[in-house]
Amino acid sequence: MEEAQGSKAPIQRFADVVSGYFVPAVITLAVLTFLVWYFVLDPGNFSRALVNFTAVLVIACPCALGLATPTSIMVGTGKGAENGILIKGAEHLENAHRLTAIVLDKTGTITKGEPAVTDIVSLNGQTETQLLHLAAVAEKNSEHPLAQAIVRHGQAQGVASGDAAEFAAIPGHGVRAQVDGKTVLVGTRKLMRENGVDFAVSLSRVEALEQQGKTVMLMAVDGKPAALIAVADTVKEHSAAAVAQLKKMGLEVWMITGDNERTARAIAREVGVDNILAEVLPEHKAEKVQELKQQGKVVGMVGDGINDAPALAIADVGFAIGTGTDVAMEAADITLIRGDLRGIVAAIQLSKATMRNIKQNLFWALIYNLLGIPIAAAGFLSPVLAGAAMAFSSVSVVTNALRLRRFRPQLS
């Protein structure tokens, strides 16, 4: 938080550039004021010329210009922390208001990330208990949320005892293991195709489960179809409300997932997402975000897992769910502590409020100088009054920045 509050927003460069031209221009004007008064308007009156020279320098002092951005950034980032939004730097606070598209990871972001087994359909005559034992032991060494759902279900049923003799995780596809002398495959259709296992007869059952929004894993034993294992992950309470509000703000909302198209569409319908990127392998998420950026969109990525980290890093603004992994939070620009997707809405609203406040500050910082310099040069402003006006300019900027403390996110 301290680093963020002390960092420079890109808009600060505007103030720096203005100051770079403004200061030498003012010094030149002050010298010209002295010369015109001493030699033309009141010849030989050194004290009058010096007073007006001083008044121009004092009224033009760009103190408020230097305060305009940092004061708003400090209040804005502090207000974000109060609302469970940790912003790593001022540039991220500024960039959030420019977003045109938001990409939401499904598991753990839109959904709770706590999938549970709902169906086990036997295809080879073995009982559910026997199949669950083979699947649970095969998946025991996998870190994937769906694999852990099978293991938890097996432990609850008391059939997850034992260890696989061999184990191999195939990223984005599934696992292969040796359990009780049998070769067990659990994963996607692609995994089964690559291993020559034909599930064509069972596709109607698979599609029926997927239309219910369930993720179906195929299981083969010794090269033959053995079971369909359906897993469902419940949607977070406020996901639909957050998506609706993001769309109302004019943003394109995308959902990215490794699930197949049918399951992805079922979840997307539930929360109101119109754009879907389905069957995306973990290592390809960053590529999909890059593709959206190349289309001219300003992209925000929201994720919670290790495999989301590259996409979070490559996005214009990366949002990490605070209930997710440390790697995701490290890669992201903004962390939502509460894990509620409405935090994205709040972050964008805060960004817009802060940028509006900064622009107001820059206006107040410059208007005194622009109006006061010609008045001082004309001899109608004493250095004392010029000093008071300059001080009032700084006070007005700080006071305006403190108005941000009244910020309250408008959440539906």
Side-chain angles (χ1 to χ4, degrees):
M1 281 303 301
E2 287 176 1
E3 287 177 9
Q5 290 183 331
S7 63
K8 266 190 182 182
I11 197 170
Q12 176 67 41
R13 297 191 197 111
F14 169 76
D16 294 342
V17 170
V18 169
S19 296
Y21 289 103
F22 187 73
V23 172
V26 165
I27 292 172
T28 302
L29 280 171
V31 171
L32 286 173
T33 299
F34 177 86
L35 294 175
V36 169
W37 275 97
Y38 187 74
F39 291 107
V40 180
L41 298 177
D42 196 355
N45 192 338
F46 179 81
S47 60
R48 181 72 185 275
L50 182 62
V51 165
N52 292 335
F53 166 83
T54 305
V56 170
L57 286 181
V58 172
I59 193 66
C61 180
C63 300
L65 196 61
L67 290 168
T69 300
T71 49
S72 294
I73 293 295
M74 182 169 282
V75 178
T77 50
K79 201 64 193 175
E82 282 182 28
N83 287 277
I85 304 163
L86 294 186
I87 302 163
K88 284 189 179 177
E91 69 274 20
H92 311 310
L93 179 61
E94 177 174 340
N95 288 337
H97 89 286
R98 298 171 46 242
L99 293 176
T100 59
I102 290 283
V103 180
L104 306 172
D105 179 53
K106 181 182 81 73
T107 305
T109 302
I110 290 177
T111 64
K112 292 180 179 177
E114 299 171 358
V117 174
T118 58
D119 304 86
I120 299 176
V121 180
S122 177
L123 302 177
N124 65 356
Q126 285 184 283
T127 65
E128 284 190 20
T129 301
Q130 292 170 324
L131 293 166
L132 180 58
H133 164 71
L134 293 173
V137 174
E139 295 278 24
K140 193 177 285 186
N141 292 318
S142 174
E143 296 178 352
H144 196 282
L146 300 181
Q148 290 303 304
I150 293 174
V151 174
R152 285 194 302 271
H153 191 61
Q155 290 170 340
Q157 300 295 323
V159 295
S161 57
D163 293 296
E166 294 177 17
F167 172 82
I170 301 108
H173 294 84
V175 300
R176 179 189 294 108
Q178 288 287 329
V179 182
D180 299 341
K182 298 181 175 70
T183 300
V184 179
L185 291 170
V186 184
T188 64
R189 290 178 228 189
K190 189 172 182 181
L191 176 68
M192 298 304 161
R193 282 196 301 270
E194 289 175 353
N195 286 272
V197 184
D198 185 7
F199 271 82
V201 177
S202 307
L203 281 182
S204 59
R205 290 186 183 180
V206 172
E207 290 173 2
L209 291 167
E210 288 175 346
Q211 283 170 355
Q212 298 170 31
K214 298 174 182 177
T215 300
V216 181
M217 288 174 281
L218 309 181
M219 177 176 168
V221 177
D222 290 333
K224 295 179 181 178
L228 307 177
I229 303 175
V231 175
D233 188 4
T234 53
V235 170
K236 290 179 180 177
E237 299 81 26
H238 302 297
S239 291
V243 169
Q245 202 159 1
L246 287 168
K247 289 165 70 174
K248 192 176 179 181
M249 293 168 75
L251 279 79
E252 277 185 24
V253 183
W254 294 73
M255 185 180 81
I256 191 166
T257 177
D259 287 345
N260 64 74
E261 187 88 14
R262 194 174 291 103
T263 302
R265 289 205 175 279
I267 296 294
R269 274 196 306 272
E270 190 174 346
V271 296
V273 174
D274 301 319
N275 307 293
I276 301 165
L277 298 168
E279 298 182 40
V280 180
L281 296 177
E283 61 268 27
H284 294 158
K285 287 184 178 180
E287 293 176 13
K288 295 297 182 182
V289 170
Q290 185 62 34
E291 286 174 14
L292 291 174
K293 289 176 66 177
Q294 287 170 351
Q295 294 172 23
K297 305 181 197 299
V298 183
V299 183
M301 170 69 194
V302 190
D304 72 317
I306 293 172
N307 59 14
D308 298 323
L312 290 170
I314 204 170
D316 293 294
V317 180
F319 296 85
I321 301 297
T323 51
T325 63
D326 290 344
V327 175
M329 286 186 274
E330 183 63 30
D333 306 311
I334 297 174
T335 299
L336 310 176
I337 296 298
R338 299 189 182 100
D340 185 340
L341 283 186
R342 292 181 302 172
I344 306 166
V345 177
I348 294 172
Q349 288 178 350
L350 177 61
S351 173
K352 289 181 177 179
T354 304
M355 291 307 299
R356 187 163 55 246
N357 192 268
I358 288 172
K359 289 171 183 175
Q360 290 166 355
N361 283 351
L362 291 172
F363 170 80
W364 287 115
L366 290 169
I367 195 69
Y368 284 111
N369 301 130
L370 296 176
L371 294 177
I373 289 172
I375 296 172
F380 297 121
L381 200 63
S382 74
V384 174
L385 289 175
M390 183 271 293
F392 184 70
S393 167
S394 298
V395 170
S396 66
V397 162
V398 173
T399 304
N400 188 55
L402 290 175
R403 286 194 314 109
L404 270 175
R405 295 174 62 187
R406 297 198 301 238
F407 170 81
R408 295 285 183 278
Q410 303 299 311
L411 304 176
S412 57

